[in-house]
Coordinates of all heavy atoms in Angstrom, one line a residue:
M1 N -35.0 -21.5 50.9 CA -35.2 -21.6 52.3 C -35.3 -23.2 52.7 O -35.8 -23.8 51.8 CB -36.6 -20.9 52.6 CG -36.6 -19.4 52.4 SD -38.0 -18.7 53.3 CE -37.6 -19.0 55.0
Y2 N -35.0 -23.4 53.9 CA -35.1 -24.7 54.3 C -35.3 -24.8 55.8 O -35.1 -23.7 56.7 CB -33.8 -25.5 53.9 CG -32.6 -25.1 54.7 CD1 -32.1 -25.7 55.8 CD2 -31.8 -24.1 54.1 CE1 -31.0 -25.2 56.4 CE2 -30.6 -23.8 54.7 CZ -30.3 -24.2 55.7 OH -29.1 -23.9 56.4
A3 N -35.8 -25.9 56.3 CA -35.9 -26.3 57.7 C -35.5 -27.7 57.9 O -35.8 -28.5 57.0 CB -37.3 -26.0 58.2
I4 N -35.1 -28.1 59.0 CA -34.8 -29.5 59.4 C -35.5 -29.7 60.8 O -35.3 -29.0 61.6 CB -33.2 -29.7 59.5 CG1 -32.6 -29.3 58.1 CG2 -33.0 -31.1 60.0 CD1 -31.1 -29.5 58.1
F5 N -36.0 -30.9 60.7 CA -36.8 -31.4 61.9 C -36.1 -32.6 62.5 O -35.9 -33.5 61.6 CB -38.3 -31.6 61.5 CG -38.9 -30.4 60.9 CD1 -39.1 -30.5 59.5 CD2 -39.1 -29.3 61.5 CE1 -39.7 -29.4 58.9 CE2 -39.8 -28.2 61.0 CZ -40.0 -28.2 59.6
K6 N -36.0 -32.8 63.8 CA -35.5 -34.0 64.4 C -36.7 -34.7 65.0 O -37.3 -34.1 65.9 CB -34.4 -33.6 65.5 CG -33.9 -34.9 66.2 CD -32.9 -34.5 67.3 CE -32.4 -35.7 68.0 NZ -31.4 -35.4 69.0
V7 N -36.9 -36.0 64.5 CA -38.1 -36.6 65.0 C -37.6 -37.9 65.7 O -36.8 -38.7 65.1 CB -39.0 -37.0 63.8 CG1 -40.2 -37.7 64.1 CG2 -39.3 -35.8 62.9
E8 N -38.1 -38.1 66.9 CA -37.7 -39.3 67.6 C -38.3 -40.5 66.9 O -39.4 -40.5 66.3 CB -38.3 -39.2 69.0 CG -37.7 -38.0 69.8 CD -36.2 -38.2 70.0 OE1 -35.7 -39.3 70.3 OE2 -35.5 -37.2 70.0
K9 N -37.8 -41.7 67.0 CA -38.1 -42.9 66.4 C -39.5 -43.2 66.7 O -40.3 -43.5 65.8 CB -37.2 -44.0 66.8 CG -37.1 -45.1 65.8 CD -36.0 -46.1 66.2 CE -35.6 -46.7 64.9 NZ -34.4 -47.7 65.0
K10 N -40.0 -43.1 67.9 CA -41.4 -43.4 68.3 C -42.4 -42.5 67.5 O -43.6 -43.0 67.5 CB -41.5 -43.3 69.8 CG -41.4 -41.9 70.4 CD -41.7 -41.9 71.9 CE -41.3 -40.5 72.6 NZ -42.2 -39.4 72.0
D11 N -42.0 -41.4 67.1 CA -42.9 -40.4 66.4 C -42.7 -40.5 64.9 O -43.4 -39.7 64.1 CB -42.7 -39.0 66.9 CG -43.1 -38.9 68.3 OD1 -44.0 -39.5 68.7 OD2 -42.4 -38.1 69.1
S12 N -41.9 -41.4 64.4 CA -41.6 -41.3 63.0 C -42.8 -41.4 62.0 O -42.8 -41.0 60.9 CB -40.6 -42.4 62.6 OG -41.0 -43.7 62.9
A13 N -43.9 -42.1 62.4 CA -45.0 -42.3 61.6 C -45.8 -41.0 61.3 O -46.3 -40.8 60.3 CB -46.0 -43.3 62.2
K14 N -45.5 -40.0 62.1 CA -46.1 -38.7 62.0 C -45.5 -37.9 61.0 O -46.0 -36.9 60.4 CB -46.0 -37.9 63.3 CG -47.0 -38.7 64.5 CD -46.8 -37.9 65.8 CE -47.6 -38.8 66.8 NZ -47.5 -38.1 68.2
I15 N -44.3 -38.2 60.5 CA -43.6 -37.5 59.4 C -44.5 -37.6 58.2 O -44.5 -36.6 57.4 CB -42.3 -38.3 59.1 CG1 -41.4 -38.0 60.3 CG2 -41.7 -37.6 57.8 CD1 -40.1 -38.8 60.1
D16 N -45.4 -38.6 58.0 CA -46.3 -38.6 56.9 C -47.2 -37.5 56.7 O -47.7 -37.0 55.7 CB -47.2 -39.9 56.8 CG -46.3 -41.1 56.6 OD1 -45.1 -41.0 56.0 OD2 -46.7 -42.2 56.9
E17 N -47.4 -36.8 57.9 CA -48.2 -35.5 57.9 C -47.6 -34.5 56.9 O -48.4 -33.7 56.3 CB -48.4 -35.0 59.3 CG -49.3 -35.8 60.2 CD -49.4 -35.3 61.5 OE1 -49.6 -34.0 61.7 OE2 -49.4 -36.1 62.5
L18 N -46.3 -34.4 56.8 CA -45.7 -33.5 55.9 C -46.0 -33.8 54.4 O -46.2 -32.9 53.7 CB -44.3 -33.4 56.2 CG -43.8 -32.9 57.6 CD1 -42.3 -33.2 57.8 CD2 -44.2 -31.5 57.8
Y19 N -45.9 -35.1 54.1 CA -46.2 -35.5 52.8 C -47.7 -35.4 52.3 O -47.9 -35.3 51.1 CB -45.7 -37.0 52.6 CG -44.3 -37.2 52.8 CD1 -43.7 -37.6 53.9 CD2 -43.4 -36.9 51.6 CE1 -42.4 -37.9 54.1 CE2 -42.0 -37.2 51.8 CZ -41.6 -37.6 52.9 OH -40.2 -37.9 53.0
T20 N -48.6 -35.4 53.3 CA -50.0 -35.3 52.9 C -50.5 -33.9 52.9 O -51.7 -33.7 52.4 CB -50.9 -36.2 53.9 OG1 -50.7 -35.8 55.3 CG2 -50.4 -37.7 53.6
D21 N -49.8 -32.9 53.5 CA -50.2 -31.6 53.4 C -50.1 -31.0 52.1 O -49.0 -31.1 51.5 CB -49.4 -30.7 54.5 CG -49.9 -29.2 54.6 OD1 -50.9 -29.0 55.1 OD2 -49.3 -28.4 53.8
D22 N -51.1 -30.2 51.5 CA -51.2 -29.7 50.2 C -50.1 -28.8 50.0 O -49.3 -28.9 48.8 CB -52.5 -29.1 50.0 CG -52.6 -28.6 48.5 OD1 -52.3 -29.4 47.6 OD2 -53.0 -27.4 48.3
I23 N -49.7 -27.9 50.8 CA -48.5 -26.9 50.7 C -47.3 -27.6 50.8 O -46.4 -27.5 50.0 CB -48.8 -25.7 51.7 CG1 -50.0 -25.0 51.4 CG2 -47.6 -24.9 51.5 CD1 -50.4 -23.9 52.4
V24 N -47.0 -28.2 51.9 CA -45.8 -28.9 52.2 C -45.3 -30.0 51.3 O -44.2 -30.0 50.9 CB -45.6 -29.4 53.7 CG1 -44.3 -30.0 53.9 CG2 -46.1 -28.4 54.6
S25 N -46.4 -30.7 50.7 CA -46.0 -31.8 49.8 C -45.4 -31.3 48.4 O -44.7 -32.0 47.7 CB -47.3 -32.6 49.5 OG -48.2 -31.9 48.9
R26 N -45.6 -30.0 48.2 CA -45.1 -29.4 47.0 C -43.6 -29.0 47.2 O -42.9 -28.5 46.1 CB -45.9 -28.3 46.5 CG -47.2 -28.6 46.1 CD -47.9 -27.4 45.5 NE -49.4 -27.5 46.1 CZ -50.1 -26.4 46.2 NH1 -49.7 -25.2 45.7 NH2 -51.3 -26.4 46.6
Q27 N -43.0 -29.1 48.4 CA -41.7 -28.7 48.7 C -40.8 -30.0 48.5 O -41.3 -31.0 48.4 CB -41.6 -28.2 50.1 CG -42.6 -27.1 50.5 CD -42.7 -26.0 49.5 OE1 -41.8 -25.3 49.2 NE2 -44.0 -25.8 49.1
S28 N -39.5 -29.8 48.5 CA -38.7 -31.0 48.5 C -38.4 -31.4 50.0 O -38.1 -30.7 50.8 CB -37.2 -30.4 48.0 OG -36.3 -31.5 48.2
I29 N -38.8 -32.7 50.1 CA -38.7 -33.3 51.5 C -37.8 -34.5 51.5 O -38.0 -35.4 50.6 CB -40.2 -33.8 52.0 CG1 -41.1 -32.6 51.8 CG2 -40.1 -34.4 53.4 CD1 -42.6 -33.1 52.1
I30 N -36.7 -34.5 52.3 CA -35.8 -35.6 52.3 C -35.8 -36.0 53.8 O -35.6 -35.3 54.7 CB -34.5 -35.1 51.9 CG1 -34.4 -34.5 50.5 CG2 -33.4 -36.3 52.0 CD1 -33.1 -33.9 50.1
R31 N -35.9 -37.4 53.9 CA -35.9 -38.0 55.3 C -34.7 -38.9 55.4 O -34.3 -39.7 54.6 CB -37.2 -38.8 55.5 CG -37.1 -39.5 56.7 CD -38.5 -40.4 56.7 NE -38.5 -41.5 57.6 CZ -39.5 -42.3 58.0 NH1 -40.6 -42.0 57.5 NH2 -39.3 -43.1 58.9
R32 N -33.9 -38.7 56.6 CA -32.8 -39.6 56.7 C -32.7 -40.0 58.2 O -33.1 -39.3 59.1 CB -31.5 -39.0 56.5 CG -31.3 -38.4 55.0 CD -30.7 -39.5 54.2 NE -30.3 -39.0 52.9 CZ -31.0 -38.9 51.9 NH1 -32.2 -39.3 52.0 NH2 -30.6 -38.4 50.7
D33 N -32.1 -41.2 58.5 CA -32.0 -41.5 60.0 C -30.7 -41.0 60.3 O -29.8 -40.8 59.6 CB -32.2 -43.0 60.2 CG -31.2 -43.9 59.4 OD1 -30.1 -43.4 59.2 OD2 -31.5 -45.0 59.2
G34 N -30.5 -40.8 61.6 CA -29.3 -40.1 62.3 C -28.1 -41.0 61.9 O -27.0 -40.4 61.7
I35 N -28.1 -42.3 61.9 CA -27.0 -43.1 61.6 C -26.5 -42.8 60.2 O -25.4 -42.7 60.0 CB -27.3 -44.6 61.9 CG1 -27.6 -44.8 63.4 CG2 -26.2 -45.5 61.5 CD1 -28.2 -46.0 63.8
S36 N -27.4 -42.7 59.3 CA -26.9 -42.4 57.9 C -26.3 -41.1 57.7 O -25.5 -40.9 56.8 CB -28.1 -42.6 56.9 OG -28.9 -41.5 57.0
L37 N -26.6 -40.2 58.6 CA -26.0 -38.8 58.6 C -24.8 -38.8 59.5 O -24.2 -37.7 59.8 CB -26.9 -37.8 59.1 CG -28.1 -37.6 58.1 CD1 -29.1 -36.7 58.8 CD2 -27.6 -37.0 56.8
E38 N -24.2 -40.0 59.9 CA -23.1 -40.1 60.8 C -23.3 -39.4 62.2 O -22.4 -38.8 62.8 CB -21.8 -39.7 60.1 CG -21.6 -40.4 58.9 CD -20.4 -39.9 58.0 OE1 -19.8 -38.9 58.3 OE2 -20.1 -40.6 57.0
L39 N -24.5 -39.5 62.8 CA -24.8 -39.0 64.0 C -24.9 -40.2 65.0 O -25.2 -41.4 64.6 CB -26.0 -38.1 64.0 CG -26.1 -36.9 63.1 CD1 -27.5 -36.3 62.8 CD2 -25.1 -35.9 63.5
K40 N -24.8 -39.9 66.2 CA -24.8 -41.0 67.2 C -26.2 -41.1 67.8 O -26.4 -41.4 69.1 CB -23.8 -40.8 68.2 CG -22.4 -40.9 67.6 CD -21.3 -40.6 68.7 CE -20.0 -40.8 68.0 NZ -18.9 -40.4 68.5
D41 N -27.3 -41.0 67.1 CA -28.6 -41.2 67.6 C -29.5 -41.9 66.5 O -29.2 -41.9 65.4 CB -29.2 -39.9 68.2 CG -29.6 -39.0 67.0 OD1 -30.3 -39.3 66.1 OD2 -29.1 -37.9 67.2
D42 N -30.5 -42.5 67.0 CA -31.5 -43.2 66.1 C -32.7 -42.4 65.7 O -33.7 -42.9 65.3 CB -31.7 -44.6 66.6 CG -32.6 -44.5 67.9 OD1 -32.6 -43.3 68.4 OD2 -33.0 -45.5 68.3
S43 N -32.7 -41.0 65.8 CA -33.7 -40.1 65.5 C -33.7 -40.1 63.9 O -32.8 -40.5 63.3 CB -33.5 -38.8 66.1 OG -33.6 -38.8 67.5
F44 N -34.9 -39.6 63.4 CA -35.0 -39.3 62.1 C -34.8 -37.8 61.9 O -35.1 -36.9 62.7 CB -36.4 -39.7 61.5 CG -36.5 -41.2 61.3 CD1 -37.0 -42.0 62.3 CD2 -35.8 -41.9 60.3 CE1 -37.1 -43.3 62.2 CE2 -36.0 -43.2 60.2 CZ -36.6 -44.0 61.2
Y45 N -34.2 -37.3 60.7 CA -34.1 -35.9 60.4 C -34.7 -35.7 59.1 O -34.6 -36.5 58.1 CB -32.6 -35.6 60.3 CG -31.8 -35.6 61.6 CD1 -31.5 -36.8 62.2 CD2 -31.8 -34.5 62.3 CE1 -30.8 -36.8 63.4 CE2 -31.2 -34.5 63.6 CZ -30.7 -35.8 64.2 OH -30.2 -35.8 65.4
V46 N -35.6 -34.7 59.0 CA -36.3 -34.4 57.8 C -35.9 -33.0 57.4 O -36.1 -32.0 58.1 CB -37.8 -34.5 58.1 CG1 -38.7 -34.1 56.8 CG2 -38.3 -35.7 58.6
L47 N -35.5 -32.9 56.1 CA -35.0 -31.6 55.5 C -36.3 -31.2 54.6 O -36.6 -32.1 53.6 CB -33.8 -31.8 54.7 CG -33.5 -30.7 53.7 CD1 -33.2 -29.3 54.5 CD2 -32.2 -30.9 53.0
V48 N -36.7 -30.1 54.7 CA -37.8 -29.5 53.9 C -37.2 -28.2 53.2 O -36.8 -27.3 53.9 CB -39.1 -29.2 54.6 CG1 -40.1 -28.6 53.7 CG2 -39.6 -30.4 55.3
E49 N -37.1 -28.2 51.9 CA -36.5 -26.9 51.2 C -37.7 -26.6 50.2 O -38.3 -27.4 49.6 CB -35.3 -27.4 50.3 CG -34.0 -27.7 51.1 CD -32.9 -28.0 50.2 OE1 -32.9 -29.1 49.5 OE2 -32.0 -27.2 50.2
G50 N -37.8 -25.2 50.2 CA -38.9 -24.7 49.3 C -39.1 -23.2 49.6 O -38.3 -22.5 50.1
S51 N -40.4 -22.9 49.3 CA -40.9 -21.6 49.5 C -41.0 -21.1 50.9 O -41.1 -22.0 51.8 CB -42.2 -21.3 48.7 OG -43.2 -22.1 49.4
E52 N -41.1 -19.9 51.1 CA -41.3 -19.3 52.6 C -42.6 -20.0 53.2 O -42.6 -20.3 54.2 CB -41.3 -17.8 52.4 CG -41.4 -17.3 54.0 CD -41.2 -15.6 53.8 OE1 -40.9 -15.1 52.8 OE2 -41.6 -15.0 54.9
E53 N -43.7 -19.9 52.3 CA -44.9 -20.4 52.8 C -44.9 -21.9 53.0 O -45.5 -22.3 54.1 CB -45.9 -20.2 51.6 CG -47.3 -20.7 52.0 CD -48.5 -20.7 50.9 OE1 -47.9 -20.5 49.7 OE2 -49.5 -20.8 51.1
G54 N -44.1 -22.6 52.3 CA -44.0 -24.1 52.5 C -43.3 -24.3 53.8 O -43.6 -25.3 54.5
I55 N -42.2 -23.7 54.0 CA -41.4 -24.0 55.2 C -42.1 -23.5 56.5 O -42.2 -24.2 57.5 CB -40.0 -23.2 55.1 CG1 -39.2 -23.5 53.9 CG2 -39.3 -23.2 56.3 CD1 -38.9 -24.9 53.8
K56 N -42.8 -22.3 56.4 CA -43.7 -21.9 57.5 C -44.7 -23.0 57.9 O -45.0 -23.4 59.1 CB -44.4 -20.7 57.2 CG -45.2 -20.2 58.2 CD -45.9 -18.8 57.8 CE -46.8 -18.3 58.9 NZ -47.6 -17.2 58.6
R57 N -45.4 -23.6 56.8 CA -46.5 -24.5 57.0 C -45.8 -25.8 57.6 O -46.3 -26.4 58.5 CB -47.2 -24.8 55.8 CG -48.2 -25.9 55.9 CD -49.4 -25.4 56.7 NE -50.4 -26.4 56.7 CZ -51.2 -26.9 57.8 NH1 -51.0 -26.1 58.8 NH2 -51.9 -27.8 57.6
A58 N -44.7 -26.2 57.0 CA -43.9 -27.4 57.6 C -43.5 -27.3 59.0 O -43.8 -28.2 59.9 CB -42.7 -27.7 56.7
K59 N -43.2 -26.0 59.4 CA -42.8 -25.9 60.8 C -44.1 -26.0 61.7 O -44.0 -26.5 62.8 CB -42.2 -24.5 61.0 CG -40.6 -24.4 60.6 CD -40.1 -23.1 60.8 CE -38.7 -23.0 60.3 NZ -38.1 -21.7 60.6
E60 N -45.2 -25.5 61.3 CA -46.4 -25.6 61.9 C -46.8 -27.0 62.2 O -47.1 -27.4 63.4 CB -47.7 -24.9 61.3 CG -47.6 -23.4 61.2 CD -48.7 -22.8 60.3 OE1 -49.5 -23.5 59.8 OE2 -48.6 -21.7 60.0
I61 N -46.7 -27.8 61.2 CA -47.0 -29.2 61.3 C -46.1 -30.0 62.1 O -46.4 -30.7 63.1 CB -47.2 -29.8 59.9 CG1 -48.3 -29.2 59.2 CG2 -47.4 -31.3 60.0 CD1 -48.3 -29.6 57.6
A62 N -44.8 -29.8 61.9 CA -43.7 -30.7 62.5 C -43.5 -30.3 63.9 O -43.0 -31.1 64.7 CB -42.5 -30.5 61.6
S63 N -43.8 -29.1 64.3 CA -43.6 -28.6 65.7 C -44.5 -29.4 66.6 O -44.0 -29.4 67.9 CB -43.8 -27.1 65.9 OG -45.1 -26.8 65.7
K64 N -45.4 -30.1 66.2 CA -46.2 -30.9 67.1 C -45.7 -32.3 67.4 O -45.9 -32.8 68.5 CB -47.6 -31.2 66.3 CG -48.4 -30.1 66.0 CD -49.5 -30.6 65.2 CE -50.2 -29.2 64.4 NZ -51.1 -29.7 63.4
F65 N -44.6 -32.7 66.7 CA -44.1 -34.0 67.0 C -42.5 -34.1 66.9 O -41.9 -35.1 66.9 CB -44.7 -35.1 66.0 CG -44.6 -34.8 64.6 CD1 -43.4 -35.2 63.9 CD2 -45.5 -34.2 63.8 CE1 -43.2 -34.9 62.5 CE2 -45.4 -34.0 62.5 CZ -44.3 -34.3 61.8
S66 N -41.9 -32.9 66.6 CA -40.5 -32.8 66.4 C -39.8 -31.6 67.0 O -40.5 -30.8 67.4 CB -40.1 -32.9 64.8 OG -40.5 -31.6 64.3
K67 N -38.5 -31.7 66.9 CA -37.7 -30.4 67.4 C -37.3 -29.8 66.0 O -36.8 -30.4 65.1 CB -36.5 -30.9 68.1 CG -35.5 -29.8 68.5 CD -34.4 -30.3 69.1 CE -33.3 -29.0 69.4 NZ -32.0 -29.6 69.8
V68 N -37.6 -28.5 66.0 CA -37.2 -27.7 64.9 C -35.7 -27.2 65.1 O -35.6 -26.6 66.1 CB -38.1 -26.5 64.6 CG1 -37.6 -25.6 63.4 CG2 -39.5 -26.9 64.4
L69 N -34.9 -27.7 64.3 CA -33.4 -27.4 64.4 C -33.2 -25.8 64.1 O -33.8 -25.3 63.3 CB -32.5 -28.1 63.7 CG -32.6 -29.8 63.9 CD1 -31.5 -30.5 63.1 CD2 -32.5 -30.0 65.3
E70 N -32.2 -25.2 65.0 CA -31.9 -23.8 64.8 C -30.4 -23.8 65.0 O -29.7 -24.6 65.4 CB -32.6 -23.0 65.7 CG -34.0 -23.0 65.6 CD -34.9 -22.1 66.8 OE1 -34.2 -21.7 67.6 OE2 -36.1 -22.0 66.5
G71 N -29.8 -22.6 64.5 CA -28.5 -22.2 64.7 C -27.4 -23.1 64.2 O -27.5 -23.6 63.0
E72 N -26.4 -23.4 64.9 CA -25.3 -24.2 64.5 C -25.8 -25.6 64.3 O -25.2 -26.3 63.3 CB -24.2 -24.2 65.6 CG -22.9 -25.0 65.1 CD -22.3 -24.6 63.8 OE1 -22.3 -23.4 63.4 OE2 -21.8 -25.4 63.0
E73 N -26.7 -26.1 65.1 CA -27.2 -27.6 64.9 C -27.8 -27.6 63.4 O -27.6 -28.6 62.7 CB -28.1 -27.9 65.9 CG -28.5 -29.3 65.9 CD -29.4 -29.8 67.0 OE1 -30.2 -28.9 67.7 OE2 -29.6 -30.9 67.3
L74 N -28.6 -26.6 63.1 CA -29.3 -26.7 61.8 C -28.3 -26.6 60.6 O -28.3 -27.4 59.8 CB -30.2 -25.4 61.7 CG -30.7 -25.1 60.3 CD1 -31.8 -26.1 59.9 CD2 -31.5 -23.7 60.3
N75 N -27.2 -25.8 60.8 CA -26.2 -25.6 59.8 C -25.5 -26.9 59.6 O -25.1 -27.3 58.6 CB -25.4 -24.4 60.0 CG -26.1 -23.2 59.9 OD1 -27.0 -23.0 59.1 ND2 -25.6 -22.2 60.6
S76 N -25.1 -27.5 60.8 CA -24.3 -28.7 60.7 C -25.0 -29.9 60.1 O -24.3 -30.6 59.2 CB -23.9 -29.1 62.2 OG -23.2 -30.3 62.2
I77 N -26.3 -30.1 60.4 CA -27.1 -31.1 59.9 C -27.3 -30.8 58.3 O -27.3 -31.8 57.5 CB -28.4 -31.4 60.6 CG1 -28.1 -31.7 62.2 CG2 -29.2 -32.5 60.0 CD1 -27.3 -33.0 62.4
Y78 N -27.5 -29.6 58.0 CA -27.7 -29.3 56.5 C -26.5 -29.7 55.9 O -26.7 -30.3 54.7 CB -28.1 -27.9 56.4 CG -28.5 -27.5 55.0 CD1 -29.7 -27.7 54.5 CD2 -27.6 -26.6 54.3 CE1 -30.0 -27.5 53.3 CE2 -27.9 -26.3 52.9 CZ -29.1 -26.7 52.5 OH -29.5 -26.4 51.2
K79 N -25.4 -29.4 56.3 CA -24.1 -29.7 55.5 C -24.0 -31.2 55.4 O -23.6 -31.8 54.3 CB -23.0 -29.2 56.3 CG -22.8 -27.7 56.2 CD -21.6 -27.3 57.0 CE -21.6 -25.6 57.0 NZ -20.5 -25.2 57.9
K80 N -24.6 -32.0 56.3 CA -24.4 -33.4 56.2 C -25.4 -33.9 55.2 O -25.1 -34.9 54.4 CB -24.8 -34.1 57.6 CG -23.6 -33.9 58.6 CD -23.9 -34.6 59.9 CE -23.0 -34.4 60.9 NZ -21.7 -35.2 60.7
F81 N -26.5 -33.3 55.1 CA -27.5 -33.7 54.0 C -26.9 -33.4 52.7 O -26.9 -34.2 51.7 CB -28.7 -32.9 54.2 CG -29.9 -33.6 55.0 CD1 -30.0 -33.2 56.3 CD2 -30.8 -34.4 54.3 CE1 -31.0 -33.8 57.0 CE2 -31.7 -35.0 55.1 CZ -31.9 -34.7 56.4
K82 N -26.2 -32.2 52.5 CA -25.7 -31.9 51.2 C -24.5 -32.7 50.8 O -24.3 -33.0 49.7 CB -25.3 -30.4 51.2 CG -26.6 -29.5 51.2 CD -27.5 -29.8 50.0 CE -28.8 -29.1 50.1 NZ -29.8 -29.7 49.0
A83 N -23.7 -33.0 51.9 CA -22.6 -33.9 51.6 C -23.0 -35.3 51.0 O -22.3 -35.8 50.2 CB -21.7 -34.0 52.9
Q84 N -24.1 -35.8 51.6 CA -24.6 -37.1 51.1 C -25.0 -36.9 49.6 O -24.8 -37.7 48.8 CB -25.8 -37.6 51.9 CG -25.4 -38.4 53.0 CD -26.7 -39.0 53.6 OE1 -27.8 -38.7 53.4 NE2 -26.3 -40.0 54.5
D85 N -25.8 -35.8 49.4 CA -26.2 -35.5 48.0 C -25.0 -35.4 47.0 O -25.0 -36.0 45.9 CB -27.0 -34.2 47.9 CG -28.3 -34.4 48.4 OD1 -28.9 -35.5 48.8 OD2 -29.0 -33.3 48.7
D86 N -23.9 -34.7 47.4 CA -22.8 -34.5 46.6 C -22.1 -35.9 46.3 O -21.7 -36.3 45.2 CB -21.8 -33.6 47.2 CG -22.3 -32.1 47.2 OD1 -23.3 -31.9 46.5 OD2 -21.8 -31.3 48.0
K87 N -22.2 -36.7 47.4 CA -21.4 -38.0 47.2 C -22.3 -38.9 46.2 O -21.6 -39.6 45.4 CB -21.3 -38.7 48.6 CG -20.5 -39.9 48.6 CD -20.3 -40.4 50.0 CE -19.2 -41.5 50.2 NZ -19.0 -41.9 51.5
S88 N -23.7 -38.8 46.4 CA -24.5 -39.5 45.3 C -24.2 -39.1 43.9 O -24.2 -40.0 43.0 CB -25.9 -39.4 45.7 OG -26.2 -39.9 47.0
L89 N -24.1 -37.9 43.8 CA -23.9 -37.4 42.3 C -22.6 -37.7 41.8 O -22.4 -38.0 40.6 CB -24.0 -35.7 42.3 CG -25.4 -35.2 42.6 CD1 -25.4 -33.7 42.8 CD2 -26.4 -35.7 41.5
E90 N -21.5 -37.8 42.7 CA -20.2 -38.2 42.3 C -20.3 -39.6 41.8 O -19.7 -40.1 40.8 CB -19.2 -38.2 43.3 CG -18.8 -36.7 43.6 CD -17.8 -36.7 44.9 OE1 -17.3 -37.8 45.3 OE2 -17.5 -35.6 45.4
G91 N -21.1 -40.5 42.5 CA -21.3 -41.9 42.1 C -21.9 -42.0 40.8 O -21.4 -42.8 39.9
L92 N -23.0 -41.2 40.6 CA -23.7 -41.2 39.3 C -22.6 -40.8 38.0 O -22.8 -41.3 37.0 CB -24.9 -40.4 39.2 CG -26.0 -41.0 40.1 CD1 -27.2 -39.9 40.0 CD2 -26.6 -42.2 39.3
G93 N -21.8 -39.8 38.4 CA -20.9 -39.3 37.4 C -19.9 -40.3 36.9 O -19.6 -40.4 35.7
S94 N -19.5 -41.1 38.0 CA -18.5 -42.1 37.6 C -19.1 -43.3 36.7 O -18.6 -44.0 36.0 CB -17.8 -42.7 38.9 OG -18.8 -43.4 39.5
I95 N -20.5 -43.4 36.9 CA -21.2 -44.5 36.2 C -21.5 -44.0 34.7 O -21.3 -44.7 33.8 CB -22.5 -44.8 36.9 CG1 -22.3 -45.6 38.2 CG2 -23.4 -45.7 35.9 CD1 -23.5 -45.7 39.0
F96 N -21.9 -42.8 34.6 CA -22.3 -42.2 33.3 C -21.2 -41.4 32.6 O -21.4 -40.9 31.4 CB -23.7 -41.3 33.4 CG -24.8 -42.2 33.8 CD1 -25.3 -42.1 35.1 CD2 -25.3 -43.1 33.0 CE1 -26.4 -42.8 35.5 CE2 -26.4 -43.8 33.4 CZ -27.0 -43.7 34.6
G97 N -20.2 -41.1 33.5 CA -19.1 -40.1 32.9 C -18.2 -40.9 32.0 O -17.8 -40.7 30.9

C-alpha cells in the first residue's frame, strides 16, 4: 500500500511529523521536490509505502498540512517516483556490473 502527499513549500518543515511518528516512521518514506519529478511546481511530494495501519496514520497526520493525492494524479506521480528509482538502480548496475 502507498499514499502520496503534495506539500506546499511553505509547509515543508511539517513533513518531519511523518518521520517522528512511531507508526509512520517504520514505513518507507521518500521525499522529492516537484522539479526533480519533472513537474512544473515547487511543491514537495512525499511517498509513504507500507502497511495499511502505517498509511492510514500517515494520511491522518499529513492531511493537516498537505493534499492527499488520489486517482490519476496519484498513479501518475507514483510512476514518476518509481521511474527515478529504476534509473538510480540502472546507474548502480553500470558501476558494479
Side-chain angles (χ1 to χ4, degrees):
M1 294 192 69
Y2 66 91
I4 300 177
F5 309 102
K6 180 179 180 180
V7 182
E8 297 299 323
K9 203 169 205 172
K10 65 180 175 59
D11 294 323
S12 64
K14 296 177 182 177
I15 294 171
D16 290 342
E17 292 179 37
L18 295 170
Y19 291 99
T20 58
D21 182 81
D22 186 49
I23 295 171
V24 180
S25 65
R26 293 185 225 162
Q27 313 308 305
S28 171
I29 306 171
I30 303 170
R31 172 185 166 167
R32 300 273 191 270
D33 61 28
I35 294 167
S36 73
L37 293 171
E38 300 176 356
L39 301 170
K40 295 180 178 164
D41 68 56
D42 62 352
S43 298
F44 288 95
Y45 291 83
V46 181
L47 167 63
V48 180
E49 290 182 295
S51 69
E52 185 175 346
E53 177 187 20
I55 300 304
K56 180 180 176 187
R57 180 72 179 138
K59 286 180 178 180
E60 288 173 10
I61 294 169
S63 66
K64 300 173 196 169
F65 58 83
S66 71
K67 174 185 175 189
V68 179
L69 302 186
E70 297 178 348
E72 183 53 39
E73 185 177 23
L74 173 67
N75 294 329
S76 173
I77 301 297
Y78 184 73
K79 287 177 186 173
K80 290 181 181 291
F81 270 96
K82 290 304 169 186
Q84 271 191 349
D85 287 349
D86 292 345
K87 195 171 186 180
S88 295
L89 291 174
E90 285 176 14
L92 285 174
S94 66
I95 293 171
F96 296 108

